[in-house]
Amino acid sequence: MKRVGIVRSKKHLEKQLNWLQQLKLEELTELDYYSVEDITSIFMYINAFLITHAALIRTESRGGHFRSDFPYENDEKWQKKMIIFKRKGEVAIRYEHVETAFVN
């Protein structure tokens, strides 16, 4: 909650991301020899990494989370569908406009 809670900042998100990167989760390729408890912990750390990384990328406040360094919404930049994919070892990001429709 201190680093990736409801109120977030670049400083705390980067600190958490650095801590998670020290676990070297990307080097875990063979899970057959781990206990169920260990695998559960590994998946929780992976989930924490993904949430932290996504929160660091999103430079706005939206919904239930608040970025103290970016206190406002930014529809122009963030109201898009982001598609992240990996081809031949390279990660690419594609943005597509999202139409919003409010139904009464």
Side-chain angles (χ1 to χ4, degrees), residues 15-42:
K15 189 172 184 177
Q16 183 67 18
L17 195 63
N18 289 333
W19 183 84
L20 289 163
Q21 287 173 330
Q22 291 176 13
L23 299 174
K24 300 185 187 285
L25 297 169
E26 68 279 357
E27 294 178 9
L28 297 173
T29 57
E30 188 62 50
L31 299 178
D32 292 340
Y33 305 105
Y34 289 94
S35 69
V36 171
E37 292 82 11
D38 289 340
I39 292 172
T40 299
S41 294
I42 289 166

PDB file of all heavy atoms in Angstrom, residues 15-42:
ATOM      1  N   LYS A  15      10.577   2.674  -7.067  1.00  0.00           N
ATOM      2  CA  LYS A  15      11.203   1.958  -5.950  1.00  0.00           C
ATOM      3  C   LYS A  15      10.673   0.524  -5.874  1.00  0.00           C
ATOM      4  O   LYS A  15      11.436  -0.428  -5.704  1.00  0.00           O
ATOM      5  CB  LYS A  15      10.943   2.705  -4.647  1.00  0.00           C
ATOM      6  CG  LYS A  15      11.717   2.173  -3.482  1.00  0.00           C
ATOM      7  CD  LYS A  15      11.560   3.086  -2.270  1.00  0.00           C
ATOM      8  CE  LYS A  15      12.439   2.586  -1.131  1.00  0.00           C
ATOM      9  NZ  LYS A  15      12.377   3.481   0.034  1.00  0.00           N
ATOM     10  N   GLN A  16       9.361   0.364  -6.018  1.00  0.00           N
ATOM     11  CA  GLN A  16       8.759  -0.974  -5.982  1.00  0.00           C
ATOM     12  C   GLN A  16       9.192  -1.804  -7.181  1.00  0.00           C
ATOM     13  O   GLN A  16       9.499  -2.988  -7.051  1.00  0.00           O
ATOM     14  CB  GLN A  16       7.235  -0.872  -5.929  1.00  0.00           C
ATOM     15  CG  GLN A  16       6.532  -2.206  -5.825  1.00  0.00           C
ATOM     16  CD  GLN A  16       6.793  -2.909  -4.509  1.00  0.00           C
ATOM     17  OE1 GLN A  16       7.227  -2.302  -3.532  1.00  0.00           O
ATOM     18  NE2 GLN A  16       6.536  -4.192  -4.471  1.00  0.00           N
ATOM     19  N   LEU A  17       9.224  -1.200  -8.360  1.00  0.00           N
ATOM     20  CA  LEU A  17       9.635  -1.920  -9.559  1.00  0.00           C
ATOM     21  C   LEU A  17      11.076  -2.394  -9.433  1.00  0.00           C
ATOM     22  O   LEU A  17      11.390  -3.541  -9.777  1.00  0.00           O
ATOM     23  CB  LEU A  17       9.455  -1.034 -10.796  1.00  0.00           C
ATOM     24  CG  LEU A  17       9.505  -1.740 -12.137  1.00  0.00           C
ATOM     25  CD1 LEU A  17       8.361  -2.740 -12.271  1.00  0.00           C
ATOM     26  CD2 LEU A  17       9.445  -0.732 -13.261  1.00  0.00           C
ATOM     27  N   ASN A  18      11.954  -1.547  -8.924  1.00  0.00           N
ATOM     28  CA  ASN A  18      13.353  -1.943  -8.714  1.00  0.00           C
ATOM     29  C   ASN A  18      13.455  -3.115  -7.746  1.00  0.00           C
ATOM     30  O   ASN A  18      14.234  -4.042  -7.957  1.00  0.00           O
ATOM     31  CB  ASN A  18      14.190  -0.763  -8.213  1.00  0.00           C
ATOM     32  CG  ASN A  18      14.414   0.272  -9.292  1.00  0.00           C
ATOM     33  OD1 ASN A  18      14.406  -0.036 -10.473  1.00  0.00           O
ATOM     34  ND2 ASN A  18      14.595   1.505  -8.883  1.00  0.00           N
ATOM     35  N   TRP A  19      12.668  -3.077  -6.680  1.00  0.00           N
ATOM     36  CA  TRP A  19      12.676  -4.169  -5.718  1.00  0.00           C
ATOM     37  C   TRP A  19      12.219  -5.475  -6.370  1.00  0.00           C
ATOM     38  O   TRP A  19      12.826  -6.534  -6.187  1.00  0.00           O
ATOM     39  CB  TRP A  19      11.780  -3.818  -4.530  1.00  0.00           C
ATOM     40  CG  TRP A  19      11.790  -4.861  -3.469  1.00  0.00           C
ATOM     41  CD1 TRP A  19      12.699  -5.005  -2.468  1.00  0.00           C
ATOM     42  CD2 TRP A  19      10.835  -5.915  -3.305  1.00  0.00           C
ATOM     43  NE1 TRP A  19      12.372  -6.087  -1.691  1.00  0.00           N
ATOM     44  CE2 TRP A  19      11.223  -6.673  -2.184  1.00  0.00           C
ATOM     45  CE3 TRP A  19       9.689  -6.295  -3.994  1.00  0.00           C
ATOM     46  CZ2 TRP A  19      10.519  -7.779  -1.736  1.00  0.00           C
ATOM     47  CZ3 TRP A  19       8.986  -7.403  -3.550  1.00  0.00           C
ATOM     48  CH2 TRP A  19       9.399  -8.123  -2.435  1.00  0.00           C
ATOM     49  N   LEU A  20      11.143  -5.407  -7.163  1.00  0.00           N
ATOM     50  CA  LEU A  20      10.638  -6.595  -7.834  1.00  0.00           C
ATOM     51  C   LEU A  20      11.621  -7.125  -8.875  1.00  0.00           C
ATOM     52  O   LEU A  20      11.752  -8.340  -9.043  1.00  0.00           O
ATOM     53  CB  LEU A  20       9.283  -6.293  -8.485  1.00  0.00           C
ATOM     54  CG  LEU A  20       8.115  -6.100  -7.520  1.00  0.00           C
ATOM     55  CD1 LEU A  20       6.950  -5.420  -8.211  1.00  0.00           C
ATOM     56  CD2 LEU A  20       7.703  -7.434  -6.911  1.00  0.00           C
ATOM     57  N   GLN A  21      12.323  -6.238  -9.556  1.00  0.00           N
ATOM     58  CA  GLN A  21      13.292  -6.676 -10.566  1.00  0.00           C
ATOM     59  C   GLN A  21      14.460  -7.431  -9.937  1.00  0.00           C
ATOM     60  O   GLN A  21      15.059  -8.290 -10.583  1.00  0.00           O
ATOM     61  CB  GLN A  21      13.787  -5.480 -11.377  1.00  0.00           C
ATOM     62  CG  GLN A  21      12.735  -4.970 -12.329  1.00  0.00           C
ATOM     63  CD  GLN A  21      13.118  -3.676 -13.029  1.00  0.00           C
ATOM     64  OE1 GLN A  21      13.848  -2.867 -12.491  1.00  0.00           O
ATOM     65  NE2 GLN A  21      12.602  -3.496 -14.231  1.00  0.00           N
ATOM     66  N   GLN A  22      14.765  -7.155  -8.687  1.00  0.00           N
ATOM     67  CA  GLN A  22      15.835  -7.874  -7.996  1.00  0.00           C
ATOM     68  C   GLN A  22      15.490  -9.349  -7.784  1.00  0.00           C
ATOM     69  O   GLN A  22      16.386 -10.166  -7.569  1.00  0.00           O
ATOM     70  CB  GLN A  22      16.137  -7.212  -6.647  1.00  0.00           C
ATOM     71  CG  GLN A  22      16.773  -5.861  -6.767  1.00  0.00           C
ATOM     72  CD  GLN A  22      16.960  -5.189  -5.422  1.00  0.00           C
ATOM     73  OE1 GLN A  22      16.844  -5.807  -4.375  1.00  0.00           O
ATOM     74  NE2 GLN A  22      17.268  -3.899  -5.450  1.00  0.00           N
ATOM     75  N   LEU A  23      14.210  -9.697  -7.870  1.00  0.00           N
ATOM     76  CA  LEU A  23      13.795 -11.094  -7.717  1.00  0.00           C
ATOM     77  C   LEU A  23      14.128 -11.926  -8.950  1.00  0.00           C
ATOM     78  O   LEU A  23      14.076 -13.154  -8.898  1.00  0.00           O
ATOM     79  CB  LEU A  23      12.292 -11.172  -7.432  1.00  0.00           C
ATOM     80  CG  LEU A  23      11.813 -10.478  -6.164  1.00  0.00           C
ATOM     81  CD1 LEU A  23      10.295 -10.513  -6.084  1.00  0.00           C
ATOM     82  CD2 LEU A  23      12.433 -11.108  -4.933  1.00  0.00           C
ATOM     83  N   LYS A  24      14.441 -11.257 -10.075  1.00  0.00           N
ATOM     84  CA  LYS A  24      14.810 -11.905 -11.338  1.00  0.00           C
ATOM     85  C   LYS A  24      13.769 -12.951 -11.773  1.00  0.00           C
ATOM     86  O   LYS A  24      14.084 -14.085 -12.109  1.00  0.00           O
ATOM     87  CB  LYS A  24      16.200 -12.527 -11.236  1.00  0.00           C
ATOM     88  CG  LYS A  24      17.278 -11.500 -10.914  1.00  0.00           C
ATOM     89  CD  LYS A  24      18.641 -12.113 -10.943  1.00  0.00           C
ATOM     90  CE  LYS A  24      19.694 -11.152 -10.468  1.00  0.00           C
ATOM     91  NZ  LYS A  24      20.079 -10.124 -11.347  1.00  0.00           N
ATOM     92  N   LEU A  25      12.516 -12.534 -11.759  1.00  0.00           N
ATOM     93  CA  LEU A  25      11.412 -13.426 -12.113  1.00  0.00           C
ATOM     94  C   LEU A  25      11.520 -13.948 -13.542  1.00  0.00           C
ATOM     95  O   LEU A  25      11.088 -15.065 -13.827  1.00  0.00           O
ATOM     96  CB  LEU A  25      10.078 -12.701 -11.917  1.00  0.00           C
ATOM     97  CG  LEU A  25       9.768 -12.272 -10.491  1.00  0.00           C
ATOM     98  CD1 LEU A  25       8.572 -11.334 -10.464  1.00  0.00           C
ATOM     99  CD2 LEU A  25       9.537 -13.479  -9.603  1.00  0.00           C
ATOM    100  N   GLU A  26      12.102 -13.161 -14.433  1.00  0.00           N
ATOM    101  CA  GLU A  26      12.210 -13.578 -15.833  1.00  0.00           C
ATOM    102  C   GLU A  26      13.130 -14.781 -16.005  1.00  0.00           C
ATOM    103  O   GLU A  26      13.094 -15.463 -17.025  1.00  0.00           O
ATOM    104  CB  GLU A  26      12.672 -12.417 -16.718  1.00  0.00           C
ATOM    105  CG  GLU A  26      14.099 -11.962 -16.487  1.00  0.00           C
ATOM    106  CD  GLU A  26      14.286 -11.027 -15.295  1.00  0.00           C
ATOM    107  OE1 GLU A  26      13.297 -10.660 -14.646  1.00  0.00           O
ATOM    108  OE2 GLU A  26      15.431 -10.665 -15.028  1.00  0.00           O
ATOM    109  N   GLU A  27      13.953 -15.069 -14.998  1.00  0.00           N
ATOM    110  CA  GLU A  27      14.863 -16.214 -15.079  1.00  0.00           C
ATOM    111  C   GLU A  27      14.200 -17.520 -14.659  1.00  0.00           C
ATOM    112  O   GLU A  27      14.782 -18.589 -14.813  1.00  0.00           O
ATOM    113  CB  GLU A  27      16.106 -15.952 -14.224  1.00  0.00           C
ATOM    114  CG  GLU A  27      16.955 -14.806 -14.744  1.00  0.00           C
ATOM    115  CD  GLU A  27      18.159 -14.521 -13.861  1.00  0.00           C
ATOM    116  OE1 GLU A  27      18.442 -15.301 -12.935  1.00  0.00           O
ATOM    117  OE2 GLU A  27      18.816 -13.491 -14.121  1.00  0.00           O
ATOM    118  N   LEU A  28      12.995 -17.442 -14.117  1.00  0.00           N
ATOM    119  CA  LEU A  28      12.278 -18.646 -13.712  1.00  0.00           C
ATOM    120  C   LEU A  28      11.599 -19.267 -14.925  1.00  0.00           C
ATOM    121  O   LEU A  28      10.579 -18.783 -15.396  1.00  0.00           O
ATOM    122  CB  LEU A  28      11.235 -18.317 -12.640  1.00  0.00           C
ATOM    123  CG  LEU A  28      11.769 -17.779 -11.326  1.00  0.00           C
ATOM    124  CD1 LEU A  28      10.614 -17.340 -10.432  1.00  0.00           C
ATOM    125  CD2 LEU A  28      12.614 -18.815 -10.621  1.00  0.00           C
ATOM    126  N   THR A  29      12.174 -20.309 -15.455  1.00  0.00           N
ATOM    127  CA  THR A  29      11.615 -20.939 -16.655  1.00  0.00           C
ATOM    128  C   THR A  29      11.046 -22.320 -16.365  1.00  0.00           C
ATOM    129  O   THR A  29      10.180 -22.790 -17.077  1.00  0.00           O
ATOM    130  CB  THR A  29      12.679 -21.060 -17.755  1.00  0.00           C
ATOM    131  OG1 THR A  29      13.791 -21.796 -17.235  1.00  0.00           O
ATOM    132  CG2 THR A  29      13.143 -19.685 -18.221  1.00  0.00           C
ATOM    133  N   GLU A  30      11.513 -22.975 -15.332  1.00  0.00           N
ATOM    134  CA  GLU A  30      11.076 -24.325 -15.007  1.00  0.00           C
ATOM    135  C   GLU A  30      10.439 -24.338 -13.625  1.00  0.00           C
ATOM    136  O   GLU A  30      11.111 -24.200 -12.615  1.00  0.00           O
ATOM    137  CB  GLU A  30      12.271 -25.284 -15.036  1.00  0.00           C
ATOM    138  CG  GLU A  30      11.921 -26.728 -14.912  1.00  0.00           C
ATOM    139  CD  GLU A  30      11.041 -27.236 -16.041  1.00  0.00           C
ATOM    140  OE1 GLU A  30      11.372 -27.015 -17.213  1.00  0.00           O
ATOM    141  OE2 GLU A  30      10.009 -27.845 -15.732  1.00  0.00           O
ATOM    142  N   LEU A  31       9.124 -24.481 -13.583  1.00  0.00           N
ATOM    143  CA  LEU A  31       8.396 -24.426 -12.318  1.00  0.00           C
ATOM    144  C   LEU A  31       8.051 -25.801 -11.759  1.00  0.00           C
ATOM    145  O   LEU A  31       7.470 -25.903 -10.686  1.00  0.00           O
ATOM    146  CB  LEU A  31       7.119 -23.598 -12.473  1.00  0.00           C
ATOM    147  CG  LEU A  31       7.296 -22.130 -12.879  1.00  0.00           C
ATOM    148  CD1 LEU A  31       5.954 -21.463 -13.046  1.00  0.00           C
ATOM    149  CD2 LEU A  31       8.148 -21.395 -11.866  1.00  0.00           C
ATOM    150  N   ASP A  32       8.411 -26.860 -12.462  1.00  0.00           N
ATOM    151  CA  ASP A  32       8.037 -28.214 -12.046  1.00  0.00           C
ATOM    152  C   ASP A  32       8.576 -28.602 -10.676  1.00  0.00           C
ATOM    153  O   ASP A  32       8.005 -29.460 -10.004  1.00  0.00           O
ATOM    154  CB  ASP A  32       8.508 -29.249 -13.069  1.00  0.00           C
ATOM    155  CG  ASP A  32       7.762 -29.144 -14.388  1.00  0.00           C
ATOM    156  OD1 ASP A  32       6.660 -28.559 -14.395  1.00  0.00           O
ATOM    157  OD2 ASP A  32       8.281 -29.639 -15.399  1.00  0.00           O
ATOM    158  N   TYR A  33       9.659 -28.016 -10.262  1.00  0.00           N
ATOM    159  CA  TYR A  33      10.312 -28.434  -9.023  1.00  0.00           C
ATOM    160  C   TYR A  33       9.957 -27.566  -7.823  1.00  0.00           C
ATOM    161  O   TYR A  33      10.483 -27.769  -6.743  1.00  0.00           O
ATOM    162  CB  TYR A  33      11.832 -28.465  -9.229  1.00  0.00           C
ATOM    163  CG  TYR A  33      12.205 -29.340 -10.395  1.00  0.00           C
ATOM    164  CD1 TYR A  33      12.603 -28.785 -11.606  1.00  0.00           C
ATOM    165  CD2 TYR A  33      12.113 -30.726 -10.306  1.00  0.00           C
ATOM    166  CE1 TYR A  33      12.924 -29.596 -12.685  1.00  0.00           C
ATOM    167  CE2 TYR A  33      12.430 -31.540 -11.379  1.00  0.00           C
ATOM    168  CZ  TYR A  33      12.836 -30.963 -12.562  1.00  0.00           C
ATOM    169  OH  TYR A  33      13.135 -31.761 -13.629  1.00  0.00           O
ATOM    170  N   TYR A  34       9.057 -26.621  -8.011  1.00  0.00           N
ATOM    171  CA  TYR A  34       8.632 -25.750  -6.919  1.00  0.00           C
ATOM    172  C   TYR A  34       7.374 -26.302  -6.264  1.00  0.00           C
ATOM    173  O   TYR A  34       6.562 -26.960  -6.918  1.00  0.00           O
ATOM    174  CB  TYR A  34       8.350 -24.332  -7.434  1.00  0.00           C
ATOM    175  CG  TYR A  34       9.586 -23.572  -7.825  1.00  0.00           C
ATOM    176  CD1 TYR A  34      10.036 -23.553  -9.139  1.00  0.00           C
ATOM    177  CD2 TYR A  34      10.305 -22.857  -6.883  1.00  0.00           C
ATOM    178  CE1 TYR A  34      11.166 -22.843  -9.499  1.00  0.00           C
ATOM    179  CE2 TYR A  34      11.436 -22.143  -7.226  1.00  0.00           C
ATOM    180  CZ  TYR A  34      11.865 -22.152  -8.536  1.00  0.00           C
ATOM    181  OH  TYR A  34      12.985 -21.444  -8.885  1.00  0.00           O
ATOM    182  N   SER A  35       7.185 -25.976  -5.010  1.00  0.00           N
ATOM    183  CA  SER A  35       5.965 -26.371  -4.311  1.00  0.00           C
ATOM    184  C   SER A  35       4.808 -25.485  -4.769  1.00  0.00           C
ATOM    185  O   SER A  35       5.015 -24.427  -5.376  1.00  0.00           O
ATOM    186  CB  SER A  35       6.155 -26.231  -2.794  1.00  0.00           C
ATOM    187  OG  SER A  35       6.247 -24.855  -2.452  1.00  0.00           O
ATOM    188  N   VAL A  36       3.603 -25.890  -4.446  1.00  0.00           N
ATOM    189  CA  VAL A  36       2.415 -25.100  -4.783  1.00  0.00           C
ATOM    190  C   VAL A  36       2.509 -23.730  -4.111  1.00  0.00           C
ATOM    191  O   VAL A  36       2.185 -22.709  -4.721  1.00  0.00           O
ATOM    192  CB  VAL A  36       1.126 -25.838  -4.354  1.00  0.00           C
ATOM    193  CG1 VAL A  36      -0.090 -24.944  -4.506  1.00  0.00           C
ATOM    194  CG2 VAL A  36       0.955 -27.112  -5.157  1.00  0.00           C
ATOM    195  N   GLU A  37       2.979 -23.707  -2.875  1.00  0.00           N
ATOM    196  CA  GLU A  37       3.120 -22.443  -2.149  1.00  0.00           C
ATOM    197  C   GLU A  37       4.131 -21.520  -2.833  1.00  0.00           C
ATOM    198  O   GLU A  37       3.906 -20.311  -2.951  1.00  0.00           O
ATOM    199  CB  GLU A  37       3.537 -22.691  -0.689  1.00  0.00           C
ATOM    200  CG  GLU A  37       2.481 -23.362   0.143  1.00  0.00           C
ATOM    201  CD  GLU A  37       2.443 -24.890  -0.037  1.00  0.00           C
ATOM    202  OE1 GLU A  37       3.372 -25.471  -0.665  1.00  0.00           O
ATOM    203  OE2 GLU A  37       1.477 -25.506   0.423  1.00  0.00           O
ATOM    204  N   ASP A  38       5.258 -22.102  -3.285  1.00  0.00           N
ATOM    205  CA  ASP A  38       6.268 -21.303  -3.982  1.00  0.00           C
ATOM    206  C   ASP A  38       5.732 -20.751  -5.297  1.00  0.00           C
ATOM    207  O   ASP A  38       5.959 -19.586  -5.639  1.00  0.00           O
ATOM    208  CB  ASP A  38       7.534 -22.125  -4.247  1.00  0.00           C
ATOM    209  CG  ASP A  38       8.329 -22.413  -2.995  1.00  0.00           C
ATOM    210  OD1 ASP A  38       8.152 -21.689  -1.988  1.00  0.00           O
ATOM    211  OD2 ASP A  38       9.137 -23.369  -3.010  1.00  0.00           O
ATOM    212  N   ILE A  39       5.024 -21.582  -6.044  1.00  0.00           N
ATOM    213  CA  ILE A  39       4.459 -21.143  -7.328  1.00  0.00           C
ATOM    214  C   ILE A  39       3.426 -20.045  -7.095  1.00  0.00           C
ATOM    215  O   ILE A  39       3.379 -19.059  -7.844  1.00  0.00           O
ATOM    216  CB  ILE A  39       3.856 -22.331  -8.106  1.00  0.00           C
ATOM    217  CG1 ILE A  39       4.981 -23.262  -8.549  1.00  0.00           C
ATOM    218  CG2 ILE A  39       3.040 -21.851  -9.296  1.00  0.00           C
ATOM    219  CD1 ILE A  39       4.511 -24.565  -9.160  1.00  0.00           C
ATOM    220  N   THR A  40       2.627 -20.180  -6.043  1.00  0.00           N
ATOM    221  CA  THR A  40       1.655 -19.144  -5.706  1.00  0.00           C
ATOM    222  C   THR A  40       2.365 -17.828  -5.427  1.00  0.00           C
ATOM    223  O   THR A  40       1.959 -16.764  -5.922  1.00  0.00           O
ATOM    224  CB  THR A  40       0.814 -19.574  -4.477  1.00  0.00           C
ATOM    225  OG1 THR A  40       0.115 -20.770  -4.805  1.00  0.00           O
ATOM    226  CG2 THR A  40      -0.182 -18.479  -4.105  1.00  0.00           C
ATOM    227  N   SER A  41       3.449 -17.869  -4.676  1.00  0.00           N
ATOM    228  CA  SER A  41       4.235 -16.652  -4.390  1.00  0.00           C
ATOM    229  C   SER A  41       4.834 -16.072  -5.658  1.00  0.00           C
ATOM    230  O   SER A  41       4.811 -14.858  -5.868  1.00  0.00           O
ATOM    231  CB  SER A  41       5.342 -16.964  -3.383  1.00  0.00           C
ATOM    232  OG  SER A  41       4.799 -17.310  -2.142  1.00  0.00           O
ATOM    233  N   ILE A  42       5.376 -16.936  -6.507  1.00  0.00           N
ATOM    234  CA  ILE A  42       5.976 -16.478  -7.770  1.00  0.00           C
ATOM    235  C   ILE A  42       4.926 -15.754  -8.607  1.00  0.00           C
ATOM    236  O   ILE A  42       5.176 -14.665  -9.138  1.00  0.00           O
ATOM    237  CB  ILE A  42       6.585 -17.665  -8.547  1.00  0.00           C
ATOM    238  CG1 ILE A  42       7.840 -18.164  -7.821  1.00  0.00           C
ATOM    239  CG2 ILE A  42       6.897 -17.270  -9.992  1.00  0.00           C
ATOM    240  CD1 ILE A  42       8.325 -19.522  -8.313  1.00  0.00           C
TER     241      ILE A  42
END
